[in-house]
Amino acid sequence: MSIYTNEDRYSMTAERYLAKHHVLVYIEDSIAQLLEHREENPKLNPIKMLSEYFTALRDGNHTMFREYQFIYQTPHNRASFVKLFWKCYRQIGKKGDLLSIQEYHSLITLLCSDFPFEVVQKTARIILMDDALDCLISFTDFIFAFQTQFYYEEFLDKCLEIYLSMIHTQSSPRNPVVVPSGADDTKIHTSSHHPGDGVDAMQYFRAVYPLCDRVNYSTPPAEALKEILFNVPRVSFYGFLMAIAKSDAINEHIGRLPPKSEILAGADPEVSASHLQADDKRGHAVAGSKSTLIKKRPSLVKSRPSSEVQITTDVNNSNPTNTNAPAQIPSKPRSRSVSRSRATVKGQNPCQPATSLTARSRKKVISSDESSDEDDDDETETDDD
């Protein structure tokens, strides 16, 4: 159960309850599914099918092989799809493979064929710098950033609008303003902050607080946002997103993924399809995707201990030990992954630790072009005269 109490369902009006839990969406979808499959199988038992539909809905097993429009339609569907992705591909994290965003998108499309690439690209921007989107990402970093971007998409879009508005307001006074005076001298006033510093965390919280607890889209609990923003003086937008992705309280509020420390622990959970069984070919595609689509990429990862973007970060005190680095595989590495953090903000004393979310860590991957004899099978043909 979430540490944040939800609104008492008995205090809701009927209209608010139906809207918040999207009851009409599932009723309409279940009837549409029933009519569609009854045409194919006239002997179908409607009561049994509807029972199986809502059982799969309750257990979160109803999004496999469904269209993106349906998955995107409700928060329950989105969270269930994130959990489905984790169930199917957590072995990638166990093996320590690092994948590109194109490869992660390919894995997602095995579960939802029309899933847009844009969502995966936005996920990568939470982890990587804009000029390093072609770098490789660990499974653990990706799954929590993907959950944040996909589950809270509408909320994050509105937060970005507010952030850009605040940046514009604070950067406008930086233009020199000439104040007329009686003498020939003039006074020039400029702002003391730069856009790269982010915005005031307290002001940002007051701006985004009215967005919380909306019916038409999901939002993080206000108390969790307080924990993030009340402990830092300034915050950047992507530092804010990374803090949400790494928040155990928000992850518990969504209630689908285990804590980060347990995301790869334990036995692999069973993946069961919904009552609408997909064809065997599609099922085999998911089962075999780990061995056919994904190439193993053993890598040597050197990362600062703040690679998970802590709230308070010392940008000048790095530690070469990374306990979250994937285990090295005794084979010839194809790529090497190193991390980089944002430079200290302009005007900041480099001897003082950064105390804001603006000093977030990003990963940069230096790829080495090495030919591998393991992947090339040369065939030689000889012609007999």
Side-chain angles (χ1 to χ4, degrees), residues 16 20 158 209-219:
R16 180 175 174 82
K20 183 171 183 176
K158 293 184 181 298
Y209 179 77
L211 301 177
C212 296
D213 196 23
R214 295 294 184 92
V215 175
N216 52 344
Y217 56 82
S218 300
T219 63

Side-chain angles (χ1 to χ4, degrees), residues 184-252:
D184 294 337
D185 298 336
T186 58
K187 298 180 180 180
I188 299 178
H189 298 269
T190 58
S191 173
S192 60
H193 293 293
H194 300 272
D197 298 341
V199 298
D200 183 88
M202 292 291 292
Q203 293 181 2
Y204 190 59
F205 174 77
R206 286 193 291 267
V208 302
Y209 179 77
L211 301 177
C212 296
D213 196 23
R214 295 294 184 92
V215 175
N216 52 344
Y217 56 82
S218 300
T219 63
E223 292 297 324
L225 297 181
K226 283 183 181 180
E227 294 175 4
I228 293 173
L229 296 175
F230 278 29
N231 296 321
V232 292
R234 304 186 68 79
V235 61
S236 69
F237 179 68
Y238 286 105
F240 176 65
L241 295 188
M242 181 59 79
I244 293 178
K246 301 304 179 184
S247 172
D248 291 333
I250 294 179
N251 179 57
E252 186 178 353

Side-chain angles (χ1 to χ4, degrees), residues 137-149:
I137 306 173
S138 69
F139 179 81
T140 302
D141 288 341
F142 179 84
I143 190 66
F144 285 103
F146 178 59
Q147 175 179 247
T148 298
Q149 177 60 47

Side-chain angles (χ1 to χ4, degrees), residues 63-83:
T63 59
M64 182 178 287
F65 309 139
R66 292 300 304 269
E67 62 279 3
Y68 175 75
Q69 182 180 1
F70 174 75
I71 296 174
Y72 184 81
Q73 202 165 8
T74 70
H76 177 69
N77 290 357
R78 299 186 196 185
S80 299
F81 185 79
V82 172
K83 184 177 181 179

